[in-house]
Structure formats: C-alpha cells, structure tokens
C-alpha cells in the first residue's frame, strides 16, 4: 500500500522487460508490487520525514529512522522505528515483527519512564502516528485479504501501468482500491481508495522515484510519496532520505534491547 | 546524597575517559520543555495547616535534557533534570530526573548513575516493578512520567537469543515519595505523638538493593522472571517509649520479592499475566503490627482495539496477605483490620481523534473489597509540534468512612478519599525543528 510512484528512469534502462510480462494474473501483479514496495533488498535503512498538513496548510512534522529486515525464506519482516522529532516523542521507538497471516507483534518504548510495552495490533487501519497513512500502509496489507482484478492497462504520465482493482474480502475501511502499478519497476505509482459509498476517500501518489544501488543491484524506491484524504483535505507527505539497502543490519537490532538503548550506529 | 552520588558517577564516567578519537566526536544535544501545572481542589475542603489554599499544585518547570554518544555509539550519556518553581510552597528547586553514562558492548550494556527502571506488565498496578514511585506527583496530577523516580544504580544487561538478563544494583536507597499532609488529607494514627523519627537504610554493602530480571520469548510469549532483595518503599512504624514519652520510629522494612510475567497476542488483543510474592523479612510471622505482612500479588490484563484509534485495557488485580491470623491477633486496639484479600478491577480507555491531535483517556479502578473507586479522565490536545495542553481530573469515591488502619496502609490509601482535582498542564517543547547535531548523518 505504501507504494506508488512515477518511475521514468527504469523504463529507459530496460524496455525489453515489459514485453515479457503479458497477461499476468492480478494477484501476481499485486504480489510483485508489494515485493517492490515493502520488501526491496534484504534490509533497508532510511531517515523518514513526514509532514502532516491539514486543509488550512498547517503543518506538523515527524522525523524518524526506519530499519527493516526481511527474514530469510518467507515473508516475515522486522521493523525498528525510532523517533527524532517532535520533541515530546523523541526517543520513542517501535519494534514490529510482521507476519504474513497473523497479527503482528508490536512493542513500543516510552522513554519518559523507560518502559517497553506490547501494543495491540488488531486494527492495522489505525493511523500511523497521526498521519494519513495507516499501520497497514506502512508495512503492507495481506495479499490474500483482497480479491484482485486487472481492470486495464494504461499510461500514467510516461509509465505503462497495470490498473488493478482490489476488493477486500472482509470488512475494511475501503470498499475498493485502484492501483496503478508500473510495469517496469513494479512500484505502485498511484492508488485510489473508495469508501463504503463508493466515493473517493484517499489518494496515494509516488511523487519521486529514485533508483538506489546496493551491491550491484538497483532498487527503484519511492523517495517521496503522498497520501491525501480528499474528503477532509488533510494530507501527509513523506520523504525517504538517505535510503540504503543491503547494509547488513544484524538481526539482534530488532529486539527489546534496541528499544531500551537505541543502536546509535543505525539510527544516525 | 543521591545527587552527589549521581554526579560522582558521572564525573568518573564522563567521556573524557574514553579514547581520544572518540572524545573528539562526542556530539551533545540539548533539548527541553517549559511546563506549567495547576491543580485545584473541587471539594472546597482543605487540609488543616495545609498550604496552597485551593491549589494542590501550582508550578512551572523547565526541563533540560542533554544527551550524547560517541562516534561508534558505544559510549553514551544522558542528563535530564527540571528546575521548577513551586508556587504552593513558594520555593525554587531542582529535580535531577536521570543522569547516567553507559557503554554498549556486543552483548552487554552497562549504565551507571541515576536512571528510571520500569518492569512488569501492569498499568498502574505494580508487582515486580519494585522501583521507587512518586505518588504525590501522581495524585496531584503531574504527567505520568513523574510517577517514576530514578534510582542511583549500576545496571548491567546481557542480551542473547537464549536469555536476556537485566541486573540493577542500587547502593543508595530511594523511598517512594508519599503525598504530603500539607496538601492531602491523610489519616495519621500517630499524629498526637510528639517525637517521630525516620530511619532510611544507610549506605552499606549489605543494604545494596539488587533487582534481577530474566526474560526471553518462548513460542510467541514474552516471559520474564523477577527477583528483588531490598526494602519496602513505604515505611513501617514502631512505637516505643523514651522514659515514658511515646516515640514513633519509622523505618523501611526489609523485603524480598520474586515473580513472573507473561504476555502475548491472543483473543484479538494482548493478554498479560503477572504474579509475585512479597516476603516481608522483618515480619516473617506476620505478628509485627507496624510492618506489612508477606503477600501474594496477581494481575491479569487484556488489551484490545475496540475501534479505530480506540483502545481498551481491562485489568484485575488481587493482593492476598499471608499469616492473616497473626496479623489480626497483633493488631492494636482501635485499628480496623485490613481484609485478607484485596481485589481491584480497572479499565482504561484511550481514544485518539483528529489525526491524534486530541487524545481522550480515562482510567477507572474500583475495588469491591475496599468499596472504593478511583478515576482519572484526561483530555490532551496538541496545539502544534511544540505545544500541548492537558486537562486531567482525579476522582476518589469511597463507600467507607475513613477509619483507623495500620500505619503503612493508611498512607497508601488515604489520599484517595480526599482528592478531586483538575490539573491543567501546558507544555512547550524546545528546540526548534531541524536535524540536531547529535542525529545528523
């Protein structure tokens, strides 16, 4: 869900790939999009700046370090998030152990009292730190939670895209979602969420895509992305700064120890 | 004494003692906030000889927080303290919240100095969190962080997949800060005794408190085992006479605790259990009236999200006294006996609104055995990234009339009967936005 962007460079680099991918099943397309958007590389490190902007233009800012590691073999992931700003949440940290088919394990560290707590993860639609992104938007939605259909193929800007409709199988906070998935990078460049009345509720856009190299591989990355609530006018603009992949984050970083004492080396 | 010891430790550990290469790269960042707190009595009643009139709390605080780490991140320090003006007592003072230096090794973490330690899974029910609390802060309505007091300690942590170990050794005893009779209604059965003495455990090797936590994950379960050798943090009392003049000596009885907790995702939420035994070494038989008896404490909790941005936590807590018959038989005439078993249920609801700019929360605890309830509804609003305002109200309702109880107990509970006070906190955070030197790449 996190992903969506405009990806022009990659198309120029490997135009041949596009023709090899015809008539893919919709679920396969969404699966690849999720892999490109949420799971690129063996691990990832970034500094994330989130601007929460209301309809009047009033802005609030959250700055955090994000570390992510994919576990070998499966789709399990570990996240470590450490807040630098604003001041009243400084040093607050989240640890998430994400599983594909059951509730995540989530812990929060509250620095004022040096306390580590498990937090309920049932409703992954809850807002992530007051932004327009939900927890699910940050770490991905189960592929099997929705039925996926390819509606059409069309260009979004300069990028050839699949337009996929995803309909939740169980009650969700959207009735359907349209995703423009770039045929080259597999990143979602745009997503539209419709509410129960089938009115457009939220729009995601990948505003800037960069090809980030690591160890001979290149990972197209949406380094600027926006989620806008078109009904309230509130939007959240996210910039991923200094993104790096395959940096060898040790597994023990994703434990309670890091909550208690943040691993300086990895969050600077 | 506590301040001096913390500063001494810091001086020894100041990163000047680190290698020259690292010393040159020690970025120190300074943050802080300004906060005003005011609590007003709503009952119209005021304690006799009390201070502050209608105010339980009226203060302005300046928080300064300096932290730094070496280039490698392996050496670090943090100093966090408040300078405050207490308008009720009309004084200016300081409160060193934390001041420690630390070292992070491959598997070991070491911290020396004043630090806040929080263990256990309870929300305001403490079983294996044997570290000192500031109950006056809590009941007078300061933000929750002030409930915890730092300990001047050495803390060593070992981390591995097989087992994590956390040891806190505290040579300098810190008691709970209890509500003051100048601001709260307290029942003191010894009020008429002119000579009252207070003894805190002197700094000696055998008085060093040691707390241990072993923990790991087992099949999706966060499991912890705890042990603690130290003292009760609320004083007991002995009454004797000095040539016929009655005299009260308050002291902190010795205490050994051990216990366990477990927590995991279950039933679409989080299920937690915690239990512990309090072994009151100075009253093994339960016959010393001024020393708490040994106890068992058990807690079960369930947290789940009821709706988007709405979370509920339900807790049930039971405390059972050992050697109850001895306790009853040794209770002085005129004191009403505690129940053998105390039970408390609590609910906390937290709702975020409007992109989490508004937070509504309520904590309600009721005890069927004590026939009383305690409630703290709270509304906080974030005006900007730098400013927020918080309104909290503290309520205590009791179906029982205050009556004589054992000294230690009375102090623990009496404030509940007296408070109904809204607190307004206004907070402004520094410094300005932008990467700080310590966090810049």
């Amino acid at each position: 869900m996190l992903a969506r962007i405009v990806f022009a460079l990659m198309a120029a680099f490997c135009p041949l790939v596009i023709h090899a991918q015809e008539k893919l099943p919709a679920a396969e397309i969404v699966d690849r999009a999720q892999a490109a958007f949420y799971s690129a590389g063996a691990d990832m490190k970034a500094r994330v700046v989130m601007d929460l902007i209301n309809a009047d233009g009033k802005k609030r800012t959250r700055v955090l370090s994000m570390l992510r590691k994919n576990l070998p073999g499966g789709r399990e992931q570990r996240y470590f998030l450490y807040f630098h700003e604003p001041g009243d949440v400084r040093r607050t940290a989240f640890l998430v152990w994400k599983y594909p088919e059951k509730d995540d394990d989530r812990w929060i560290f509250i620095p004022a009292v040096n306390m580590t707590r498990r937090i309920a993860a049932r409703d992954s639609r809850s807002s992530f730190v007051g932004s327009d992104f939900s927890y699910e938007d940050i770490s991905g939605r189960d592929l099997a939670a929705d039925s996926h259909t390819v509606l059409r193929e069309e260009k979004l800007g300069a990028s050839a895209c699949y337009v996929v409709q995803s309909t939740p199988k169980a009650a969700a906070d959207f009735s359907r979602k349209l995703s423009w998935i770039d045929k080259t990078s597999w990143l979602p460049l745009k997503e539209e969420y419709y509410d129960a009345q089938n009115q457009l509720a939220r729009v995601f856009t990948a505003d800037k895509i960069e090809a980030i190299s690591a160890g001979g591989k290149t990972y197209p990355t949406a380094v600027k992305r926006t989620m806008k609530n078109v009904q309230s006018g509130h939007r959240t603009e996210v910039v991923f700064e200094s993104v790096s992949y395959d940096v060898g984050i040790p597994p023990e970083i994703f434990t309670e120890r890091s909550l208690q004492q943040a691993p300086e080396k990895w969050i600077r | 004494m506590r301040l001096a010891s913390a500063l001494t430790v810091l001086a020894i550990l100041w990163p000047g003692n680190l290698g020259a290469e690292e010393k040159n790269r020690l970025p120190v960042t300074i943050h802080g906030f300004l906060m005003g707190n005011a609590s007003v009595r709503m009952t119209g009643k005021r304690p006799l000889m009390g201070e502050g009139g209608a105010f339980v709390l009226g203060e302005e605080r300046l928080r300064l927080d300096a932290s730094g780490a070496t280039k490698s991140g392996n050496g670090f320090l943090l100093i966090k303290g408040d300078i405050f003006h207490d308008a009720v007592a009309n004084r200016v003072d300081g409160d060193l919240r934390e001041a420690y230096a630390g070292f992070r090794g491959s598997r070991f973490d070491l911290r020396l100095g004043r630090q806040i330690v929080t263990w256990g899974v309870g929300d305001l029910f403490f079983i294996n969190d044997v570290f000192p609390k500031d109950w006056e802060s809590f009941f007078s309505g300061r933000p929750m962080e002030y409930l915890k007091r730092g300990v001047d300690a050495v803390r060593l942590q070992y981390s591995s997949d097989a087992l994590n170990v956390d040891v806190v050794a505290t040579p300098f005893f810190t008691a709970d800060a209890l509500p003051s009779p100048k601001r709260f209604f307290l029942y003191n059965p010894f009020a008429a005794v002119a000579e009252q003495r207070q003894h805190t455990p002197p700094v000696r090797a055998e008085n060093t408190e040691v707390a241990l936590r072993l923990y790991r994950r087992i099949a999706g379960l966060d499991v912890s085992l705890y042990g603690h050798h130290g003292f009760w943090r609320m004083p007991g009392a002995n009454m004797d006479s000095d040539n016929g003049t009655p005299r009260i000596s308050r002291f902190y009885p010795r205490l050994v605790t051990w216990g366990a907790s477990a927590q995991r995702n279950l039933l679409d939420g989080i299920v937690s259990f915690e239990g512990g035994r309090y072994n009151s070494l100075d009253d093994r038989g339960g016959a010393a009236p001024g020393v708490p008896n040994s106890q068992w404490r058990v807690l079960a909790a369930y947290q789940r999200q009821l709706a988007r941005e709405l979370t509920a936590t339900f807790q049930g807590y039971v405390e059972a006294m050992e050697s109850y018959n001895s306790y009853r038989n040794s209770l002085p005439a005129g004191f009403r006996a505690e129940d053998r078993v105390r039970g408390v249920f609590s609910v906390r609801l937290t709702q975020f609104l409007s992109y989490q700019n508004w937070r509504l929360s309520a904590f309600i605890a009721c005890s069927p055995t004590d026939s009383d309830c305690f409630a703290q509804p709270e509304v906080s609003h974030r005006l900007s990234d730098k400013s927020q305002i918080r309104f909290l109200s503290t309520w205590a309702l009791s179906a029982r009339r205050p009556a004589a109880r054992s000294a230690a107990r009375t102090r623990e509970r009496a404030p509940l009967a007296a408070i109904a006070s809204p607190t307004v906190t206004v907070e402004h955070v520094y410094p300005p936005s932008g990467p700080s030197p310590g966090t810049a790449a």
Side-chain angles (χ1 to χ4, degrees):
Chain A
M1 124 90 54
L2 292 209
R4 335 41 236 280
I5 303 305
V6 182
F7 193 75
L9 282 179
M10 285 302 286
F13 289 138
C14 37
L16 296 180
V17 180
I18 296 168
H19 304 290
Q21 299 158 347
E22 288 175 1
K23 297 296 173 195
L24 279 175
E28 171 71 17
I29 294 169
V30 175
D31 194 28
R32 290 195 191 189
Q34 291 200 346
F37 197 69
Y38 295 110
S39 309
D43 59 31
M44 186 269 282
K45 166 179 179 291
R47 186 179 173 93
V48 179
V49 179
M50 299 185 107
D51 285 333
L52 286 50
I53 305 162
N54 73 9
D56 301 328
K58 192 177 168 193
K59 187 168 90 174
R60 294 182 295 139
T61 301
R62 274 112 196 69
V63 180
L64 60 137
S65 289
M66 177 188 279
L67 304 176
R68 189 231 322 137
K69 187 176 188 72
N70 302 337
L71 294 200
R75 290 179 162 261
E76 274 186 47
Q77 291 182 315
R78 308 251 159 111
Y79 285 85
F80 179 77
L81 307 172
Y82 177 90
F83 282 83
H84 301 283
E85 291 178 36
D88 63 330
V89 297
R90 195 164 161 265
R91 300 193 189 108
T92 300
F94 286 105
L95 176 64
V96 181
W97 287 18
K98 186 175 162 48
Y99 309 102
E101 271 149 23
K102 61 172 183 171
D103 287 347
D104 302 344
D105 285 320
R106 265 187 226 164
W107 296 265
I108 187 173
F109 175 71
I110 300 165
V113 287
N114 274 330
M115 179 173 75
T116 302
R117 275 291 147 88
R118 243 178 205 269
I119 48 176
R122 177 68 182 163
D123 186 359
S124 52
R125 304 302 307 168
S126 283
S127 164
F128 177 72
V129 297
S131 74
D132 292 280
F133 291 93
S134 65
Y135 273 90
E136 194 172 82
D137 297 335
I138 298 293
S139 63
R141 181 172 163 86
D142 282 350
L143 181 68
D146 305 322
S147 307
H148 308 282
T149 319
V150 180
L151 293 186
R152 58 186 181 268
E153 297 174 23
E154 68 181 25
K155 280 206 161 190
L156 186 69
S159 307
C161 292
Y162 293 106
V163 182
V164 178
Q165 176 168 282
S166 302
T167 309
K169 293 174 184 169
D173 79 332
F174 61 94
S175 61
R176 66 191 178 99
K177 175 177 82 171
L178 295 186
S179 307
W180 280 257
I181 296 170
D182 185 278
K183 289 184 175 181
T184 308
S185 68
W186 294 102
L187 289 176
L189 303 184
K190 180 181 173 185
E191 289 177 346
E192 293 180 349
Y193 292 82
Y194 291 83
D195 65 14
Q197 288 75 43
N198 203 26
Q199 298 296 305
L200 184 60
R202 296 193 302 157
V203 176
F204 169 91
T205 50
D207 308 315
K208 185 182 179 193
I209 292 183
E210 286 179 5
I212 292 171
S213 302
K217 294 181 182 169
T218 302
Y219 301 102
T221 304
V223 293
K224 185 169 187 298
R225 37 185 91 172
T226 302
M227 182 72 85
K228 179 164 186 177
N229 184 322
V230 295
Q231 295 174 350
S232 71
H234 196 283
R235 71 181 192 276
T236 300
E237 296 178 359
V238 180
V239 174
F240 277 59
E241 296 176 346
S242 51
V243 183
S244 42
Y245 292 100
D246 299 340
V247 284
I249 307 171
E252 60 267 25
I253 293 298
F254 301 89
T255 61
E256 182 176 334
R257 181 189 186 192
S258 293
L259 293 172
Q260 297 274 343
Q261 183 63 48
E264 278 286 329
K265 177 184 168 190
W266 294 103
I267 59 166
R268 272 185 181 153
Chain B
M1 167 60 91
R2 299 183 70 228
L3 181 61
S5 59
L7 290 177
T8 305
V9 165
L10 268 180
I12 294 167
L13 289 174
W14 187 262
N17 295 333
L18 293 167
E21 181 197 348
E22 296 218 322
K23 188 166 66 176
N24 295 336
R25 297 298 301 260
L26 185 79
V28 173
T29 58
I30 297 184
H31 295 254
F33 57 72
L34 276 172
M35 177 168 71
N37 294 309
S39 293
V40 185
R41 300 176 195 282
M42 295 191 299
T43 56
K45 295 175 184 166
R46 298 169 189 183
L48 281 175
M49 315 292 287
E51 57 187 10
F55 286 88
V56 178
L57 186 66
E59 62 174 14
E60 305 88 45
R61 283 180 176 261
L62 168 65
R63 161 69 53 87
L64 289 172
D65 173 326
S67 61
T70 57
K71 185 183 176 188
S72 65
N74 291 337
F76 53 87
L77 64 82
L78 180 141
I79 303 172
K80 188 157 76 172
D82 292 2
I83 298 164
F84 64 90
H85 169 240
D86 178 345
V88 169
N90 195 21
R91 68 185 178 117
V92 174
D93 209 340
D95 176 9
L96 185 65
R97 302 284 305 156
E98 290 191 274
Y100 60 78
F103 178 78
R104 183 184 169 101
S106 60
R107 290 205 177 276
F108 284 95
D109 292 282
L110 176 69
R111 274 190 198 181
L112 282 97
R114 181 167 300 179
Q115 47 198 309
I116 290 170
V117 185
T118 302
W119 288 352
V121 298
D123 179 3
L124 292 176
F125 291 104
F126 300 105
I127 299 178
N128 293 296
D129 185 336
V130 290
F131 303 102
K133 321 285 186 307
D134 184 341
W135 292 106
E136 175 157 284
S137 271
F138 176 74
F139 289 120
S140 59
R142 275 193 199 106
M144 192 63 81
E145 85 161 275
Y146 291 94
L147 170 61
K148 296 288 297 190
R149 300 186 79 187
V151 285
D152 296 330
V154 180
R155 184 176 187 182
L156 185 66
Q157 292 175 272
Y158 168 81
S159 309
S160 75
D161 287 344
L163 187 67
N164 299 281
V165 182
D166 193 351
V167 186
V168 182
T170 314
F172 310 98
F173 175 78
T174 304
D176 281 357
L178 300 177
S180 151
K182 290 181 176 173
R183 303 196 189 189
F184 293 87
F185 291 88
L186 300 175
Y187 174 72
N188 181 356
F190 309 117
V193 179
E195 189 177 351
Q196 306 213 2
R197 292 180 180 182
Q198 176 107 6
H199 304 280
T200 49
V203 180
R204 279 205 295 258
E206 67 267 27
N207 285 347
T208 295
E209 294 190 78
V210 179
L212 171 73
R213 176 185 171 218
L214 307 175
Y215 62 101
R216 66 161 292 170
R217 281 170 61 86
I218 301 171
L221 203 64
D222 295 342
V223 178
S224 296
L225 302 176
Y226 309 87
H228 164 247
H229 187 288
F231 301 90
W232 289 91
R233 302 209 182 271
M234 296 195 194
N238 273 340
M239 190 165 181
D240 55 14
S241 66
D242 180 20
N243 293 329
T245 310
R247 187 171 65 180
I248 294 296
S249 301
R250 297 182 199 282
F251 64 102
Y252 295 91
R254 291 178 300 147
L255 174 68
V256 167
T257 66
W258 50 266
S261 69
Q263 192 173 47
R264 70 162 297 165
N265 285 0
L266 198 68
L267 305 171
D268 293 338
I270 295 169
V271 174
S272 312
F273 291 100
E274 184 170 351
R277 180 163 191 275
Y278 277 52
N279 189 357
S280 193
L281 295 186
D282 290 330
D283 188 14
R284 288 179 194 269
V291 178
N293 277 25
S294 295
Q295 304 174 337
W296 287 90
R297 297 184 179 189
V298 182
L299 171 81
Y302 176 59
Q303 182 195 71
R304 75 173 287 172
Q305 286 181 293
L306 300 179
R308 187 194 286 198
E309 310 285 7
L310 174 62
T311 304
T313 307
F314 305 91
Q315 299 185 107
Y317 169 85
V318 174
E319 186 180 292
M321 192 191 297
E322 291 184 6
S323 311
Y324 189 68
N325 290 339
S326 300
Y327 161 77
R328 288 295 297 259
N329 294 337
S330 60
L331 195 68
F335 284 74
R336 191 170 75 193
E338 293 271 321
D339 294 326
R340 181 196 301 265
V341 176
R342 281 182 69 211
V344 188
F345 299 94
S346 79
V347 179
R348 183 187 290 279
L349 295 170
T350 305
Q351 170 83 61
F352 286 103
L353 295 171
S354 183
Y355 294 93
Q356 298 185 4
N357 283 327
W358 288 89
R359 180 177 179 275
L360 314 180
S361 145
F363 179 83
I364 302 163
C366 287
S367 169
T369 51
D370 292 355
S371 305
D372 57 19
C373 283
F374 171 82
Q376 259 190 347
E378 181 179 349
V379 177
S380 62
H381 176 48
R382 191 188 280 275
L383 301 162
S384 71
D385 279 343
K386 299 204 176 302
S387 304
Q388 57 179 304
I389 185 163
R390 191 178 72 102
F391 179 89
L392 172 138
S393 183
T394 300
W395 293 84
L397 303 166
S398 178
R400 278 188 192 174
R401 296 178 65 82
R405 295 177 184 171
S406 77
R409 283 317 189 153
T410 302
R411 244 177 306 232
E412 187 175 351
R413 283 198 227 153
L416 303 188
I419 317 160
S421 68
T423 307
V424 177
T425 300
V426 183
E427 198 172 303
H428 191 79
V429 180
Y430 291 98
S433 295
S436 52
T439 53

